[in-house]
Amino acid sequence: MSESVDSRELGLRIRRLRTERHLTLKQVEEACGLSATHLSEIERGRTSPTIGALARIARALGRDASYFIEADDLPDVAHLPRQEITGFVTARGVHVEPLTPGVPGNQLFAYRLLFPSADSGPLALGAQPLSGEVLYLVIRGRLESEFGETRLTLGAGDAAQGRLLQPHSLRAVGGEPAEAIAVLTRRIEESD
């Protein structure tokens, strides 16, 4: 989990974005309903906004509130060149590679899943305590997916979507290597 920034850094981020957008304190005041004086105090790091005030400021500046409070100041557009990808191999031989480093406030995580053979896998994710979803798109080969009691065999170009509230797994079938793109609303950890 990402650490939060202090009130001084939060204020600097608000001021930087406001000035990049060529907005005055008065214009932000009109858009979010907080006084220009209070906004100025927040920008200077002299006071911290409440969660509700931060949400209103973020909306007025066209950002998610997490942009202002997450320690990692990531850009709006995330790019991870192929040569910089550092993935991991699960205990069952599935290669998991992140496709981007992420965008602040976004709960989407994209991965390339490589199943070198039918002997690799399954990649299994247990039921998650919070709601969320997963989408798998098969790029090559064939994969068998299980979402709770539902079993599907997916070929190249096929996709399956399911909820993370139920356990699910993927494994290569047909004796050939397989590759899929996974988009989840949570991270895949090395222990998965």
Side-chain angles (χ1 to χ4, degrees), residues 92-155:
R92 297 294 307 264
V94 179
H95 298 259
V96 178
E97 300 176 345
L99 295 177
T100 72
V103 174
N106 191 319
Q107 295 302 308
L108 292 180
F109 302 93
Y111 298 90
R112 177 180 292 113
L113 306 176
L114 302 166
F115 298 79
S117 70
D119 296 332
S120 58
L123 173 67
L125 289 104
Q128 301 301 304
L130 301 173
S131 64
E133 296 190 32
V134 60
L135 169 73
Y136 295 111
L137 171 64
V138 179
I139 303 300
R140 67 181 167 101
R142 290 182 345 136
L143 291 174
E144 182 179 86
S145 67
E146 290 184 34
F147 292 92
E149 300 295 318
T150 303
R151 280 192 172 173
L152 302 168
T153 300
L154 308 169

Side-chain angles (χ1 to χ4, degrees), residues 154-186:
L154 308 169
D158 290 341
Q161 181 175 355
R163 298 198 187 282
L164 292 174
L165 290 171
Q166 60 186 338
H168 67 280
S169 66
L170 286 176
R171 68 179 183 87
V173 294
E176 297 292 321
E179 179 179 356
I181 301 299
V183 179
L184 298 91
T185 55
R186 65 160 283 235

Side-chain angles (χ1 to χ4, degrees), residues 16-105:
R16 182 175 54 233
L17 186 59
R18 179 180 60 78
T19 58
E20 284 174 3
R21 303 227 166 145
H22 306 289
L23 295 171
T24 65
L25 284 169
K26 189 70 175 165
Q27 289 170 314
V28 176
E29 173 187 51
E30 291 168 3
C32 73
L34 298 172
S35 75
T37 303
H38 186 59
L39 290 166
S40 177
E41 292 294 307
I42 293 169
E43 285 186 357
R44 291 184 175 127
R46 293 181 181 163
T47 187
S48 295
T50 64
I51 293 171
L54 182 59
R56 293 191 335 232
I57 294 167
R59 200 172 20 255
L61 295 174
R63 287 290 186 138
D64 188 275
S66 63
Y67 167 81
F68 300 105
I69 59 175
E70 288 181 358
D72 297 328
D73 188 11
L74 298 175
D76 285 336
V77 176
H79 170 65
L80 189 59
R82 181 77 178 136
Q83 65 271 19
E84 293 179 20
I85 292 175
T86 55
F88 59 90
V89 179
T90 67
R92 297 294 307 264
V94 179
H95 298 259
V96 178
E97 300 176 345
L99 295 177
T100 72
V103 174

